[in-house]
Amino acid sequence: MSIFTVEKPKRFERKPYFNNERKEYLEKRKRAIMRQEGLLPTEELTGEELVRGKFVQGTTHLRRRLENDEGETDAKQKRLVKLVLWIIILTVFFGWLLREVYSW
């Protein structure tokens, strides 16, 4: 073990004690038939796709934030325009002030 390297924790791998091939085959066949009939989506969803967005839907403050993000781009543009206008106004003001002070 070195001082400068940190050992990574051992990865968890679940291995079933027994494997029921007939049950797996029947389950796979059942899903295929349901997909053909249109009762299931044509593609399998991964765990990440099933979970994505569920936390946001469950909390009110994140849901409001998500809804406000759609109108937030307009607010960002307005803030940017205001910032540019203030920079222009201040530049003109300080230019005029310097001209008045240093005009001999």
Side-chain angles (χ1 to χ4, degrees):
M1 183 170 160
S2 174
I3 296 174
F4 300 108
T5 59
V6 178
E7 292 184 19
K8 294 182 181 177
K10 187 176 180 182
R11 186 176 174 154
F12 176 77
E13 294 182 21
R14 182 181 177 274
K15 297 177 182 174
Y17 291 115
F18 61 92
N19 188 6
N20 192 347
E21 293 178 11
R22 184 174 189 277
K23 182 178 177 183
E24 288 179 7
Y25 170 76
L26 290 175
E27 189 66 32
K28 186 186 276 187
R29 184 69 185 135
K30 182 178 173 183
R31 277 189 260 126
I33 292 171
M34 289 179 79
R35 255 188 240 108
Q36 287 176 354
E37 296 296 322
L39 300 174
L40 286 179
T42 57
E43 58 193 40
E44 285 282 328
L45 297 177
T46 63
E48 182 180 334
E49 293 168 345
L50 291 172
V51 173
R52 185 173 304 204
K54 298 296 181 188
F55 184 74
V56 173
Q57 292 173 355
T59 55
T60 56
H61 66 282
L62 289 177
R63 197 172 338 131
R64 268 188 264 125
R65 182 176 177 190
L66 183 65
E67 291 168 359
N68 289 340
D69 280 345
E70 297 166 356
E72 190 173 318
T73 56
D74 295 335
K76 284 182 180 178
Q77 285 179 342
K78 287 179 183 178
R79 277 187 261 150
L80 183 63
V81 168
K82 285 181 183 179
L83 176 68
V84 169
L85 287 176
W86 274 109
I87 290 173
I88 292 172
I89 290 170
L90 289 175
T91 305
V92 169
F93 175 73
F94 282 113
W96 173 79
L97 186 63
L98 287 174
R99 186 172 178 199
E100 290 294 320
V101 169
Y102 291 111
S103 63
W104 311 50

